[in-house]
C-alpha cells in the first residue's frame, strides 16, 4: 500500500524537493527519474528557487532519466520532452546535458527502445522515480491495456491522452500519435516512487490506481506491487479515495518533525530486483 499524503500542491512540491535533497546528501551521484506534464512543475520550480538562493544541496553529480518522449516531434520543438526537461530540470539545476537522458524522439529500424534501459542500468538504476497520473490512469505513457511487466518501447498514445495534452499544442492534430515510454516493469525497478496528483480530473484515476484492483486497465495500479511508494495529492485529487480519513489522520498524527517522506527509511539501501 502506498503512503498517501493529502496536502496542498505547494506543500507537495516542498516535501518532494526536501526528499530529493535528502537523497543527494546521502548519495551525491543519485539517479532521478523525472516526469513531464503540469504535475511535476512545482517540484522543479521549488528546486530551482532553492538553487537560485544558494540553499540547494550540491546537485552537480546527479543523473536523471526522463520517463517518456513523443515520437515524431523534432527534439527542438518546445513541447518535446527533450526541450521540456532541458528547460525545467537540466538548465535550472545547472547540469550538463550529458547528465540527463530522454528516450529517443525518433525511432528508426536500427533503434531498440530497450537500449535506454541499458543506460539506466549502467547508471546503477533509478533511486527516486517521480510520476504523475493521466486522467485515464496511465503512468509514463503506459496507456490502459499496457502489460504490467512492460519494458521501454514504442506506444500509440490514446485519444484521451492526446486530448489532455492538446493544451500544450495548438490543436489536437498537432499532438503526436506515438511515443516511447519506460514500461511499467521498468518503473517498478526504481528504488522509490513518488506519485503526484492534483485536481479533480485525477480523482477517479487515482482512486482506481491506489484502492482498486491491480489491472492493466488502470496502469498506475501497478504501483501497488512496489514496496516504497508515496502519493502526494491535493484535496480535489483525493476526493474519491475511500480511505482518505485514514490517510489524513496518519499524516496529521505524526509530530511535525517527522512529516517527511519515507520517514526512517535509508533512501539508497536495498538491492534492486527486476520486475515484481
Ligand atoms: P499532467 O499529466 O501532469 O500534464 O496532468 C500527467 C500524466 O499524464 O502523467
Amino acid at each position: 500500500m502506498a503512503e498517501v499524503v493529502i496536502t496542498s500542491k505547494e506543500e507537495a512540491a516542498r516535501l518532494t524537493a526536501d526528499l530529493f535533497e535528502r537523497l543527494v546528501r546521502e548519495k551525491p551521484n543519485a539517479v532521478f527519474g523525472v516526469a513531464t506534464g503540469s504535475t511535476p512543475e512545482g517540484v522543479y520550480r521549488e528546486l530551482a528557487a532553492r538553487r537560485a538562493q544558494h540553499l540547494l544541496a550540491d546537485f552537480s553529480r546527479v543523473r536523471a532519466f526522463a520517463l517518456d518522449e513523443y515520437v515524431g516531434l523534432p527534439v527542438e520543438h518546445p513541447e518535446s520532452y527533450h526541450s521540456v526537461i532541458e528547460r525545467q530540470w537540466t538548465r535550472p539545476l545547472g547540469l550538463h546535458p550529458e547528465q540527463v537522458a530522454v528516450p529517443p524522439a525518433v525511432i528508426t529500424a536500427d533503434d531498440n527502445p530497450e537500449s535506454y534501459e541499458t543506460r539506466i542500468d549502467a547508471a546503477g538504476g533509478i533511486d527516486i522515480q517521480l510520476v504523475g497520473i493521466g486522467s485515464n490512469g496511465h503512468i509514463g505513457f503506459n496507456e490502459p491495456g499496457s502489460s504490467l511487466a512492460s519494458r521501454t518501447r514504442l506506444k500509440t498514445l490514446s485519444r484521451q491522452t492526446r486530448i489532455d495534452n492538446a493544451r500544450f499544442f495548438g490543436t489536437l492534430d498537432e499532438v503526436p500519435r506515438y511515443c516511447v515510454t519506460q514500461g511499467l516493469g521498468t518503473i517498478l525497478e526504481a528504488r522509490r516512487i513518488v506519485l503526484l496528483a492534483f485536481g479533480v480530473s485525477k480523482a477517479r484515476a487515482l482512486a482506481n490506481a491506489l484502492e482498486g484492483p491491480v489491472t492493466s486497465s488502470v496502469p498506475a495500479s501497478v504501483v501497488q506491487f512496489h514496496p516504497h511508494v508515496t502519493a502526494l495529492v491535493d484535496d480535489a485529487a483525493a476526493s474519491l479515495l475511500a480511505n482518505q480519513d485514514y490517510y489524513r489522520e496518519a499524516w496529521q498524527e505524526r509530530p511535525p518533525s517527522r512529516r517527511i517522506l519515507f520517514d526512517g527509511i535509508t533512501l539508497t539501501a536495498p538491492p534492486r530486483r527486476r520486475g515484481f
Side-chain angles (χ1 to χ4, degrees), residues 20 30 185 227 247 276:
F20 280 24
Y247 307 136
F276 53 84

Side-chain angles (χ1 to χ4, degrees), residues 36-40 132-135 138-141 161 165 167-168 202:
T36 43
S38 307
T39 304
I133 182 170
S135 65
H138 75 199
I139 47 173
F141 274 143
T161 296
N165 287 8
R167 68 188 190 282
F168 296 113
K202 304 297 175 70

Side-chain angles (χ1 to χ4, degrees), residues 12 20 36 49 73 81 90 93 104 126 133 140 144 171 183 201 207 239 258 267 274:
F20 280 24
T36 43
L73 212 55
Y81 289 165
T90 314
L93 291 180
I126 289 172
I133 182 170
T171 62
S201 67
S239 58
R258 298 204 39 209
L267 294 174
R274 281 195 90 79

